[in-house]
Coordinates of all heavy atoms in Angstrom, one line a residue:
E1 N 0.8 -1.2 0.0 CA 0.0 0.0 0.0 C 0.9 1.3 0.0 O 0.6 2.2 -0.7 CB -0.9 0.0 1.2 CG -2.0 -1.1 1.1 CD -2.8 -1.1 2.4 OE1 -2.4 -0.5 3.4 OE2 -3.9 -1.9 2.4
Q2 N 2.0 1.2 0.8 CA 2.8 2.4 0.9 C 3.5 2.7 -0.5 O 3.5 3.9 -1.0 CB 3.9 2.2 1.9 CG 3.3 2.3 3.4 CD 4.3 1.8 4.4 OE1 5.4 1.3 4.1 NE2 4.0 2.1 5.7
E3 N 4.0 1.6 -1.1 CA 4.7 1.8 -2.4 C 3.7 2.2 -3.5 O 4.1 3.0 -4.4 CB 5.5 0.5 -2.7 CG 6.6 0.2 -1.8 CD 7.6 1.3 -1.7 OE1 8.1 1.9 -2.7 OE2 7.9 1.7 -0.6
L4 N 2.5 1.6 -3.5 CA 1.5 2.0 -4.5 C 1.1 3.5 -4.4 O 1.0 4.2 -5.4 CB 0.3 1.1 -4.3 CG -0.9 1.4 -5.3 CD1 -0.4 1.2 -6.7 CD2 -2.1 0.5 -4.9
E5 N 1.0 3.9 -3.1 CA 0.6 5.3 -2.9 C 1.7 6.3 -3.4 O 1.4 7.3 -4.1 CB 0.4 5.6 -1.4 CG -0.1 7.0 -1.1 CD -0.4 7.2 0.4 OE1 -0.3 6.2 1.2 OE2 -0.6 8.3 0.8
K6 N 3.0 5.9 -3.2 CA 4.1 6.7 -3.7 C 4.1 6.8 -5.3 O 4.2 7.8 -5.9 CB 5.5 6.1 -3.3 CG 5.8 6.3 -1.8 CD 7.1 5.7 -1.5 CE 7.4 5.6 0.0 NZ 8.7 4.9 0.2
A7 N 3.9 5.6 -5.9 CA 3.9 5.5 -7.4 C 2.7 6.4 -7.9 O 2.9 7.1 -8.9 CB 3.8 4.1 -7.8
L8 N 1.5 6.3 -7.3 CA 0.4 7.0 -7.9 C 0.6 8.5 -7.7 O 0.1 9.3 -8.5 CB -0.9 6.5 -7.2 CG -1.4 5.1 -7.5 CD1 -2.6 4.7 -6.6 CD2 -1.7 4.9 -9.0
S9 N 1.2 8.9 -6.6 CA 1.4 10.3 -6.4 C 2.4 10.9 -7.4 O 2.2 12.0 -7.9 CB 2.0 10.6 -5.0 OG 3.2 10.1 -4.8
R10 N 3.4 10.1 -7.9 CA 4.3 10.6 -8.9 C 3.6 10.6 -10.3 O 4.0 11.4 -11.1 CB 5.5 9.6 -9.0 CG 6.5 9.8 -7.8 CD 7.8 9.2 -8.1 NE 7.8 7.7 -8.4 CZ 7.9 6.8 -7.4 NH1 8.1 7.2 -6.2 NH2 7.8 5.6 -7.7
L11 N 2.6 9.7 -10.5 CA 1.9 9.7 -11.8 C 1.0 10.9 -12.0 O 0.6 11.3 -13.1 CB 1.2 8.4 -12.0 CG 2.0 7.2 -12.2 CD1 1.2 5.9 -12.1 CD2 2.7 7.2 -13.6
G12 N 0.6 11.5 -10.8 CA -0.2 12.7 -10.9 C -1.7 12.5 -11.0 O -2.2 11.3 -11.3
T13 N -2.5 13.5 -10.9 CA -4.0 13.4 -10.9 C -4.5 13.1 -12.3 O -5.6 12.6 -12.4 CB -4.6 14.7 -10.4 OG1 -4.1 15.8 -11.3 CG2 -4.3 15.0 -9.0
E14 N -3.7 13.3 -13.4 CA -4.2 13.1 -14.7 C -4.3 11.6 -15.0 O -4.9 11.1 -15.9 CB -3.4 13.8 -15.8 CG -2.0 13.2 -16.0 CD -1.0 13.8 -15.0 OE1 -1.4 14.5 -14.1 OE2 0.2 13.4 -15.0
F15 N -3.6 10.8 -14.1 CA -3.6 9.3 -14.3 C -5.1 8.8 -14.1 O -5.7 9.0 -13.0 CB -2.7 8.7 -13.3 CG -2.3 7.3 -13.7 CD1 -1.5 7.0 -14.8 CD2 -2.7 6.2 -12.9 CE1 -1.2 5.7 -15.1 CE2 -2.3 4.9 -13.2 CZ -1.6 4.7 -14.3
A16 N -5.6 8.1 -15.1 CA -7.0 7.7 -15.1 C -7.3 6.7 -13.9 O -6.4 5.9 -13.6 CB -7.3 7.0 -16.4
E17 N -8.5 6.8 -13.4 CA -8.9 6.0 -12.3 C -8.9 4.5 -12.7 O -8.5 3.6 -11.9 CB -10.4 6.3 -11.8 CG -10.8 5.7 -10.5 CD -12.1 6.2 -10.0 OE1 -12.3 7.4 -10.0 OE2 -12.9 5.3 -9.7
K18 N -9.3 4.2 -13.9 CA -9.3 2.8 -14.3 C -7.9 2.2 -14.4 O -7.6 1.0 -14.1 CB -9.9 2.6 -15.7 CG -9.2 3.3 -16.9 CD -9.9 3.0 -18.2 CE -9.1 3.6 -19.4 NZ -9.8 3.3 -20.7
H19 N -6.9 3.1 -14.6 CA -5.5 2.6 -14.6 C -5.0 2.3 -13.2 O -4.3 1.4 -12.9 CB -4.6 3.7 -15.3 CG -4.8 3.8 -16.7 ND1 -4.6 5.0 -17.4 CD2 -5.3 3.0 -17.7 CE1 -4.9 4.9 -18.7 NE2 -5.3 3.6 -18.8
Q20 N -5.5 3.2 -12.2 CA -5.2 2.9 -10.8 C -5.7 1.6 -10.4 O -5.1 0.8 -9.7 CB -5.8 4.0 -10.0 CG -5.2 5.4 -10.1 CD -5.8 6.4 -9.2 OE1 -6.3 6.1 -8.1 NE2 -5.8 7.7 -9.6
E21 N -6.9 1.2 -10.8 CA -7.5 -0.1 -10.5 C -6.7 -1.2 -11.0 O -6.5 -2.3 -10.4 CB -9.0 -0.2 -11.0 CG -9.9 0.8 -10.3 CD -11.3 0.8 -10.9 OE1 -11.5 0.0 -11.9 OE2 -12.2 1.5 -10.4
V22 N -6.2 -1.1 -12.2 CA -5.4 -2.1 -12.9 C -4.1 -2.3 -12.0 O -3.7 -3.4 -11.7 CB -5.0 -1.7 -14.3 CG1 -3.9 -2.7 -14.9 CG2 -6.2 -1.8 -15.2
I23 N -3.4 -1.2 -11.6 CA -2.2 -1.3 -10.9 C -2.5 -1.9 -9.5 O -1.7 -2.7 -9.0 CB -1.5 0.1 -10.8 CG1 -1.0 0.5 -12.1 CG2 -0.4 0.0 -9.8 CD1 -0.3 1.9 -12.2
E24 N -3.6 -1.5 -8.9 CA -4.0 -2.1 -7.6 C -4.1 -3.6 -7.7 O -3.6 -4.3 -6.9 CB -5.4 -1.4 -7.2 CG -6.0 -2.1 -5.9 CD -5.4 -1.5 -4.6 OE1 -4.9 -0.3 -4.6 OE2 -5.6 -2.2 -3.6
A25 N -4.9 -4.0 -8.7 CA -5.0 -5.5 -8.9 C -3.7 -6.2 -9.2 O -3.4 -7.3 -8.7 CB -6.0 -5.7 -10.0
L26 N -2.9 -5.5 -10.0 CA -1.5 -6.1 -10.3 C -0.7 -6.3 -9.0 O -0.1 -7.4 -8.8 CB -0.8 -5.2 -11.3 CG 0.7 -5.5 -11.6 CD1 0.7 -6.8 -12.3 CD2 1.3 -4.4 -12.4
T27 N -0.6 -5.3 -8.2 CA 0.2 -5.4 -7.0 C -0.3 -6.4 -6.0 O 0.4 -7.1 -5.4 CB 0.4 -4.0 -6.3 OG1 -0.9 -3.5 -6.0 CG2 1.1 -3.0 -7.2
R28 N -1.7 -6.5 -5.9 CA -2.3 -7.5 -5.0 C -2.0 -8.9 -5.5 O -1.6 -9.8 -4.8 CB -3.8 -7.3 -5.0 CG -4.3 -6.2 -4.0 CD -5.8 -6.3 -3.8 NE -6.3 -5.2 -3.1 CZ -6.2 -5.1 -1.8 NH1 -5.6 -6.0 -1.1 NH2 -6.7 -4.0 -1.2
G29 N -2.1 -9.1 -6.8 CA -1.8 -10.4 -7.4 C -0.3 -10.8 -7.2 O -0.1 -12.0 -6.9
I30 N 0.6 -9.9 -7.3 CA 2.0 -10.2 -7.1 C 2.2 -10.6 -5.6 O 2.9 -11.6 -5.3 CB 2.9 -9.0 -7.4 CG1 2.9 -8.7 -8.9 CG2 4.3 -9.2 -6.9 CD1 3.6 -7.4 -9.3
V31 N 1.6 -9.8 -4.7 CA 1.8 -10.2 -3.2 C 1.2 -11.6 -3.0 O 1.8 -12.4 -2.3 CB 1.1 -9.1 -2.4 CG1 0.9 -9.6 -0.9 CG2 1.9 -7.8 -2.4
N32 N 0.0 -11.8 -3.5 CA -0.7 -13.2 -3.2 C 0.2 -14.3 -3.8 O 0.3 -15.3 -3.1 CB -2.1 -13.2 -3.8 CG -3.0 -12.3 -3.1 OD1 -2.8 -12.0 -1.9 ND2 -4.1 -11.8 -3.7
K33 N 0.7 -14.1 -4.9 CA 1.5 -15.2 -5.6 C 2.8 -15.4 -4.8 O 3.3 -16.6 -4.6 CB 1.8 -14.9 -7.0 CG 0.6 -15.1 -7.9 CD 0.9 -14.9 -9.4 CE -0.3 -15.0 -10.3 NZ -1.0 -16.3 -10.1
I34 N 3.4 -14.3 -4.3 CA 4.7 -14.5 -3.6 C 4.4 -15.2 -2.2 O 5.2 -16.1 -1.8 CB 5.3 -13.1 -3.3 CG1 5.9 -12.5 -4.6 CG2 6.4 -13.2 -2.3 CD1 6.4 -11.1 -4.5
L35 N 3.3 -14.9 -1.6 CA 3.0 -15.4 -0.2 C 2.4 -16.8 -0.3 O 2.5 -17.6 0.7 CB 2.1 -14.5 0.5 CG 2.6 -13.2 1.0 CD1 1.5 -12.4 1.7 CD2 3.8 -13.3 1.9
H36 N 1.8 -17.2 -1.4 CA 1.0 -18.5 -1.5 C 1.9 -19.7 -1.1 O 1.5 -20.4 -0.2 CB 0.5 -18.6 -2.9 CG -0.3 -19.9 -3.1 ND1 0.2 -21.1 -3.6 CD2 -1.6 -20.2 -2.7 CE1 -0.7 -22.0 -3.6 NE2 -1.8 -21.5 -3.1
D37 N 3.0 -19.9 -1.8 CA 3.8 -21.1 -1.5 C 4.3 -21.2 -0.1 O 4.2 -22.3 0.6 CB 4.9 -21.3 -2.5 CG 4.4 -21.7 -3.9 OD1 3.3 -22.2 -4.0 OD2 5.2 -21.6 -4.9

């Protein structure tokens, strides 16, 4: 959550909401896959 917040703040307000949702899902997926095994 902390790293995602930093990345989104650098991308600025013009970054579309739908893109934020994609990145949110991407980072969650990475965390889940790393922790699963």
Side-chain angles (χ1 to χ4, degrees):
E1 289 174 352
Q2 289 171 347
E3 294 305 310
L4 179 61
E5 187 178 348
K6 288 179 189 176
L8 291 175
S9 66
R10 287 199 298 270
L11 289 168
T13 55
E14 70 278 2
F15 195 67
E17 191 175 313
K18 66 176 182 179
H19 294 148
Q20 291 183 27
E21 291 175 0
V22 170
I23 292 179
E24 173 85 22
L26 172 67
T27 56
R28 280 191 188 281
I30 291 170
V31 165
N32 288 337
K33 287 185 183 298
I34 290 172
L35 292 179
H36 179 264
D37 285 344

